Every structure is written in structure tokens, then in C-alpha cells.
Amino acid sequence: EGGILPHEGTLAEPKEDRLRLLTATACSFSQIFAIYDDPSKELERVLREDMGEPLWRFTDEHGIGQAMWMVTDPEGLELAARTFDETQIVIADGHHRYETAVAYRDLMRAAHPGVEDAPWEYTTMFLCNVAHRSLTILPAHRMLRQLPAEILRDFEGRAAEFFDIIPIAVPGDPVRRTAAIHELLDLMASQQPNGHVFGAYWGRSYAVALRLRDK
């Protein structure tokens, strides 16, 4: 009902599970990942001027550096509030968490009428400017179980209407099989920003990369 938009539907069971967890712990364990569009990058510039030294910094088990700053400058906080009040925010990941936070807020409002500025009125969200070079969204891989045999038989023939099909041999040896799947993933990731490549593998002796044709 505001400036926060979804891009996918949600399922009742995951939301019920998350609501039970949130109700039992009164704690959000994972941030909602959302994006917004600000080509001027004015907010980043103002916040960076007030960053100073981080509260903490460490390297995680994957070798990735992590750091956290607290913004206290009134100018930066006011600009952040104004920016997100005037800009549409799109949820990239966390639709169930967002809807669960709203449901939890409504439960707490009913249980504690008249309480203002309560913690359940808020949830944590990671916001990334789509104009920033650090934004990378990798493919979302899906496993389909118990597909009818006729779908698998017709898959490549029907896909050929729209895609260029690139076969990739998948050896039986586990190590070489893993390397072949990585080759498929690398091929998908190496496409130009306007290119669209999908991969398909269903345990047979080969996988296919599907490159979408322009026409």
C-alpha cells in the first residue's frame, strides 16, 4: 500500500512457519533484500562522509570482508528517510519475511492497543541502489521433481523453437560431472547484460544451455 513492491507471489505455509518463529522469539534473523533506483547516488555520498571507522570488521569463513557502520549524522538520516519516502522499493528477496512482519505487527497491535512507536512497527531491510556497481543478483536455481517422461522427451524439441541449444557432456565420474555443471553455470554467467541463458540438467549424460534468440 506504499512504495514497497513485490515481484512474486507468496505461499501460506512458509508465512505460517515464519510467523511462529517471529512470535516465539520476537526477533528478525534475516534482513529483507530490496533494491531502489537513485542514479545520482546522493544518499551514498552523504552517508559515506559520516561513516568514519566501522563498529566492527572481520573476514568470514568464505574469505569475504564484512564491516558495519552506524550512521548518526542528522543530515544523512533525514536524507535517507526522504529518499525512501519518495522512491519505490522493490523486494528482491524476502517476500515471505516482509508479509510475515506485517502480520506480526497486526497481531501485536491487537494485543497492545494504543502503544506507539513499538518495535513491531519496524523490520530490518538491506537496501541496494540498482545504480551501484556492487549489485549482483545471481541465477536462482530450481529443482523440479517427478516430471512426466513425455515432458523430458519433448523438452529440447519444444525449446528449440525459442532457444539455441548448446549441449554439454556430463561424465559419470563425480568430479568431472561437477566440472561439467560448473561449465554450464559459467556459460550462463558469462552472457552480456541483455543476454538470456538458461541451463537444464536432469541427471542424464549431458546438460544443455538454452540461449534465447532475439526473434
Side-chain angles (χ1 to χ4, degrees):
E1 295 178 357
I4 300 179
L5 305 177
H7 79 269
E8 66 182 31
T10 54
L11 302 174
E13 186 174 350
K15 287 188 289 187
E16 292 170 1
D17 178 67
R18 285 163 175 75
L19 184 58
R20 288 195 297 269
L21 177 63
L22 186 54
T23 302
T25 62
C27 183
S28 296
F29 292 97
S30 180
Q31 292 180 323
I32 297 162
F33 174 28
I35 57 179
Y36 68 100
D37 188 14
D38 178 21
S40 71
K41 301 182 184 178
E42 178 67 9
L43 179 58
E44 287 96 322
R45 184 190 64 79
V46 172
L47 294 183
R48 192 174 291 112
E49 292 176 353
D50 184 48
M51 286 173 69
E53 289 298 316
L55 295 178
W56 44 256
R57 186 196 304 271
F58 67 91
T59 301
D60 65 20
E61 67 272 22
H62 304 293
I64 299 174
Q66 308 281 351
M68 178 177 177
W69 289 262
M70 179 180 292
V71 177
T72 58
D73 176 58
E75 179 186 357
L77 295 174
E78 181 181 353
L79 179 60
R82 187 168 64 252
T83 298
F84 297 128
D85 187 50
E86 299 172 352
T87 304
Q88 282 192 330
I89 294 170
V90 178
I91 298 175
D93 184 60
H95 293 77
H96 292 90
R97 278 166 279 165
Y98 182 81
E99 292 187 19
T100 299
V102 173
Y104 178 74
R105 178 205 63 189
D106 293 344
L107 284 176
M108 293 297 100
R109 282 180 176 178
H112 306 279
V115 178
E116 297 182 0
D117 201 33
W120 50 79
E121 299 290 336
Y122 303 87
T123 190
T124 56
M125 180 178 286
F126 173 79
L127 289 148
C128 186
N129 188 355
V130 297
H132 200 283
R133 62 178 175 81
S134 65
L135 176 63
T136 300
I137 300 180
L138 298 176
H141 305 300
R142 295 290 183 260
M143 179 178 289
L144 307 179
R145 299 181 182 274
Q146 299 177 339
L147 287 177
E150 59 270 18
I151 290 182
L152 297 182
R153 284 197 303 267
D154 298 342
F155 177 82
E156 290 184 33
R158 300 180 66 177
E161 298 179 32
F162 308 99
F163 297 90
D164 293 325
I165 298 179
I166 306 169
I168 297 175
V170 180
D173 176 79
V175 175
R176 297 174 63 198
R177 180 170 64 242
T178 299
I181 298 303
H182 283 174
E183 178 186 347
L184 174 61
L185 297 177
D186 289 342
L187 181 61
M188 295 165 61
S190 66
Q191 297 304 298
Q192 298 298 319
N194 60 347
H196 299 84
V197 173
F198 302 89
Y201 171 67
W202 47 80
R204 294 164 59 178
S205 59
Y206 70 99
V208 294
L210 310 171
R211 181 187 292 122
L212 185 64
R213 290 194 293 269
D214 292 337
K215 299 292 184 179

